[in-house]
Short mmCIF file of all heavy atoms in Angstrom, two decimals:
data_model
loop_
_atom_site.label_atom_id
_atom_site.label_comp_id
_atom_site.label_asym_id
_atom_site.label_seq_id
_atom_site.Cartn_x
_atom_site.Cartn_y
_atom_site.Cartn_z
N PRO A 50 6.16 -3.96 -0.66
CA PRO A 50 6.20 -2.59 -0.95
C PRO A 50 6.79 -1.68 0.02
O PRO A 50 6.42 -1.92 1.29
CB PRO A 50 4.59 -2.32 -1.14
CG PRO A 50 3.97 -3.65 -1.49
CD PRO A 50 4.81 -4.65 -0.83
N ASP A 51 7.59 -0.81 -0.29
CA ASP A 51 8.31 0.04 0.63
C ASP A 51 9.16 -0.77 1.63
O ASP A 51 9.65 -0.19 2.59
CB ASP A 51 7.37 0.94 1.49
CG ASP A 51 6.67 1.94 0.46
OD1 ASP A 51 7.32 2.46 -0.48
OD2 ASP A 51 5.45 2.24 0.74
N ASP A 52 9.41 -2.04 1.40
CA ASP A 52 10.13 -2.92 2.32
C ASP A 52 9.57 -2.86 3.72
O ASP A 52 10.19 -3.02 4.72
CB ASP A 52 11.60 -2.55 2.36
CG ASP A 52 12.26 -2.74 1.04
OD1 ASP A 52 11.89 -3.65 0.19
OD2 ASP A 52 13.29 -2.09 0.75
N LEU A 53 8.18 -2.90 3.80
CA LEU A 53 7.47 -2.76 5.02
C LEU A 53 6.33 -3.70 5.01
O LEU A 53 5.73 -4.09 3.93
CB LEU A 53 6.87 -1.36 5.30
CG LEU A 53 7.89 -0.20 5.38
CD1 LEU A 53 7.26 1.13 5.36
CD2 LEU A 53 8.77 -0.37 6.60
N CYS A 54 5.94 -4.21 6.17
CA CYS A 54 4.71 -5.17 6.33
C CYS A 54 3.41 -4.40 5.77
O CYS A 54 3.11 -3.26 6.37
CB CYS A 54 4.60 -5.51 7.78
SG CYS A 54 3.13 -6.64 7.96
N GLN A 55 2.76 -5.09 4.97
CA GLN A 55 1.50 -4.40 4.45
C GLN A 55 0.27 -4.95 5.05
O GLN A 55 -0.85 -4.69 4.54
CB GLN A 55 1.48 -4.56 2.89
CG GLN A 55 2.71 -3.83 2.27
CD GLN A 55 2.69 -2.41 2.51
OE1 GLN A 55 1.70 -1.67 2.40
NE2 GLN A 55 3.93 -1.80 2.92
N CYS A 56 0.43 -5.63 6.23
CA CYS A 56 -0.80 -6.24 6.85
C CYS A 56 -1.11 -5.38 8.06
O CYS A 56 -0.23 -5.11 8.80
CB CYS A 56 -0.49 -7.68 7.18
SG CYS A 56 -1.87 -8.46 8.10
N PRO A 57 -2.40 -5.02 8.29
CA PRO A 57 -2.70 -4.34 9.53
C PRO A 57 -2.83 -5.36 10.69
O PRO A 57 -3.19 -6.58 10.49
CB PRO A 57 -4.10 -3.72 9.30
CG PRO A 57 -4.74 -4.68 8.24
CD PRO A 57 -3.57 -5.19 7.35
N HIS A 58 -2.36 -4.94 11.88
CA HIS A 58 -2.36 -5.80 13.08
C HIS A 58 -3.04 -5.11 14.23
O HIS A 58 -2.65 -3.88 14.48
CB HIS A 58 -0.98 -6.20 13.49
CG HIS A 58 -0.10 -6.84 12.41
ND1 HIS A 58 -0.30 -8.15 11.94
CD2 HIS A 58 0.89 -6.34 11.66
CE1 HIS A 58 0.52 -8.41 11.00
NE2 HIS A 58 1.26 -7.33 10.76
N TYR A 59 -3.93 -5.83 14.98
CA TYR A 59 -4.39 -5.29 16.17
C TYR A 59 -3.91 -6.30 17.23
O TYR A 59 -3.95 -7.50 17.03
CB TYR A 59 -5.88 -5.37 16.19
CG TYR A 59 -6.65 -4.60 15.09
CD1 TYR A 59 -6.73 -5.16 13.75
CD2 TYR A 59 -7.14 -3.34 15.36
CE1 TYR A 59 -7.35 -4.49 12.75
CE2 TYR A 59 -7.73 -2.63 14.32
CZ TYR A 59 -7.83 -3.19 13.04
OH TYR A 59 -8.48 -2.50 11.96
N GLY A 60 -3.40 -5.79 18.35
CA GLY A 60 -2.89 -6.67 19.27
C GLY A 60 -2.64 -6.18 20.64
O GLY A 60 -3.01 -5.00 20.99
N TYR A 61 -1.84 -6.96 21.42
CA TYR A 61 -1.62 -6.63 22.88
C TYR A 61 -0.17 -7.10 23.11
O TYR A 61 0.10 -8.40 22.89
CB TYR A 61 -2.61 -7.32 23.80
CG TYR A 61 -2.36 -6.95 25.17
CD1 TYR A 61 -2.83 -5.68 25.71
CD2 TYR A 61 -1.77 -7.76 26.11
CE1 TYR A 61 -2.60 -5.34 27.05
CE2 TYR A 61 -1.53 -7.45 27.35
CZ TYR A 61 -1.98 -6.26 27.93
OH TYR A 61 -1.77 -5.89 29.19
#
Side-chain angles (χ1 to χ4, degrees):
D51 297 321
D52 295 331
L53 298 171
C54 178
Q55 298 301 312
C56 178
H58 305 287
Y59 302 83
Y61 183 79

